[in-house]
Amino acid sequence: MHDQFGVQEFELKWFQSYLTKQSQVCVVDGHTSLAKEIVCGVPQGSILGPLMFFLYIYDLHEECLKNTTPGMYADDTQIHASSASFSELVTKLNQDLENIVKWLSRNKLQLHTKKTKARFIELSYNLKNKVGNE
């Protein structure tokens, strides 16, 4: 992290102290669980949470997206691609989605398939001239 973002020794130690020895409890129906140490992730609900999450996922687009362009906001990522061929478009999207799933696994994150959607937008010119072209 320090090379990529210019974080020096003092700041790096500060980030390390912020992220280590964190614990959490769960309260359900008035019953509180025992505290459990958090071994990975970014503390949610904190002022630094969004910044820390951004730093955590910063390399996702560089490592994974060879055929698509990302749109990233908080913990939501959209990928965009274009092609004159529908089958080529599907191939591009599937290749980058496979890369994303591998990256997520390496970084202890997961893809929420129930929240994952695909949308195809086609120009009317292409619709009129597509018959017999694929």
Side-chain angles (χ1 to χ4, degrees):
M1 175 170 81
H2 59 88
D3 292 337
Q4 193 169 18
F5 299 107
V7 175
Q8 302 300 315
E9 186 175 333
F10 175 79
E11 294 85 4
L12 185 59
K13 286 181 181 178
W14 183 84
F15 276 114
Q16 288 171 332
S17 72
Y18 179 75
L19 294 171
T20 56
K21 300 197 190 242
Q22 297 284 331
S23 62
Q24 66 182 12
V25 296
C26 183
V27 179
V28 177
D29 293 330
H31 297 89
T32 304
S33 70
L34 297 174
K36 182 144 177 134
E37 185 177 352
I38 301 170
V39 295
C40 66
V42 174
Q44 292 185 328
S46 67
I47 291 173
L48 288 177
L51 171 64
M52 298 301 292
F53 188 77
F54 170 76
L55 295 174
Y56 193 70
I57 66 164
Y58 181 78
D59 65 340
L60 178 130
H61 70 284
E62 292 175 348
E63 286 188 30
C64 300
L65 305 181
K66 308 300 181 199
N67 305 297
T68 60
T69 304
M72 301 171 85
Y73 178 75
D75 64 349
D76 181 41
T77 299
Q78 299 174 358
I79 57 174
H80 310 271
S82 63
S83 176
S85 162
F86 182 76
S87 59
E88 181 183 326
L89 180 62
V90 170
T91 299
K92 286 180 174 184
L93 291 169
N94 282 332
Q95 286 174 347
D96 279 2
L97 282 171
E98 284 180 29
N99 293 338
I100 289 170
V101 169
K102 289 174 188 173
W103 184 93
L104 291 170
S105 178
R106 281 193 313 273
N107 288 279
K108 300 183 187 215
L109 297 169
Q110 60 187 359
L111 181 70
H112 292 283
T113 55
K114 290 183 180 180
K115 294 181 178 181
T116 301
K117 310 237 184 291
R119 178 179 297 162
F120 296 95
I121 301 171
E122 195 165 20
L123 298 174
S124 60
Y125 172 82
N126 289 344
L127 287 172
K128 290 176 189 172
N129 296 294
K130 182 176 177 181
V131 178
N133 289 340
E134 274 202 63

